């Protein structure tokens, strides 16, 4: 995959699959597919089978994407940066009472004003982080 069209098609397919998974979970269980909430509750509070199956499906999908050559083989950062990044994402999802999947996919689909504000904050923060990292921090 090297062309812009291929990248856009993969992104479109990935978005459609995320939407289908979120809709499927909502239709079958009545639950919102907020990944941080599902994972956090599976580990800390309510270790129900459906939560672990959902998390397992995420891992298997990532492995399959790598197997078929549509996911990168390297992450571009070392384990320390990845661990710190993961902790910051976890802190942010608790602070924002949800993650991009919960607010962005499910919350916006339910026309939640709180989710709209959260998504705007997510996007603005991501844009500022990329700008700072690339133009001030010298990361590529």
């Amino acid at each position: 995959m090297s062309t812009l069209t291929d990248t856009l098609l993969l992104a479109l397919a990935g978005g459609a699959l995320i939407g289908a998974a979120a809709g499927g979970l909502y239709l079958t269980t009545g639950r919102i597919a907020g990944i941080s909430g599902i994972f956090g509750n599976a580990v800390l509070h309510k270790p129900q089978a459906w939560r672990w199956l959902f998390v397992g499906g995420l891992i298997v999908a990532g492995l399959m994407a790598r197997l078929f050559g549509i996911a990168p083989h390297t992450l571009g950062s070392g384990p320390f940066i990845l661990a710190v990044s993961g902790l910051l994402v976890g802190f942010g999802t608790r602070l924002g009472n949800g993650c991009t999947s919960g607010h962005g996919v499910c919350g916006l689909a339910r026309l939640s004003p709180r989710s709209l504000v959260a998504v705007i904050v997510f996007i603005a923060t991501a844009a500022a982080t990329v700008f700072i990292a690339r133009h001030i921090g010298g990361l590529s």
Side-chain angles (χ1 to χ4, degrees):
M1 299 287 162
S2 60
T3 67
L4 180 60
T5 303
D6 291 339
T7 302
L8 290 175
L9 289 175
L10 285 175
L12 181 62
L17 288 172
I18 290 170
L25 182 66
Y26 187 75
L27 291 174
T28 57
T29 67
R31 298 184 183 274
I32 302 298
I35 306 305
S36 62
I38 291 172
F39 182 74
N41 282 322
V43 172
L44 299 175
H45 303 294
K46 304 171 191 169
Q48 297 167 316
W50 72 268
R51 295 180 196 279
W52 286 110
L53 289 172
F54 196 90
V55 171
L58 294 172
I59 294 169
V60 169
L63 293 174
M64 288 179 62
R66 187 172 180 176
L67 180 69
F68 291 111
I70 55 177
H73 288 274
T74 61
L75 297 176
S77 297
F80 177 75
I81 294 293
L82 293 175
V84 170
S85 300
L87 290 173
L88 288 173
V89 168
F91 176 74
T93 58
R94 284 297 177 198
L95 185 65
N97 200 21
C99 59
T100 52
S101 60
H103 284 297
V105 175
C106 300
L108 291 181
R110 294 181 311 127
L111 304 177
S112 167
R114 182 179 72 146
S115 292
L116 177 62
V117 171
V119 169
I120 290 170
V121 170
F122 294 158
I123 291 172
T125 303
T129 301
V130 169
F131 179 81
I132 291 169
R134 289 193 175 177
H135 300 289
I136 298 174
L139 299 176
S140 58

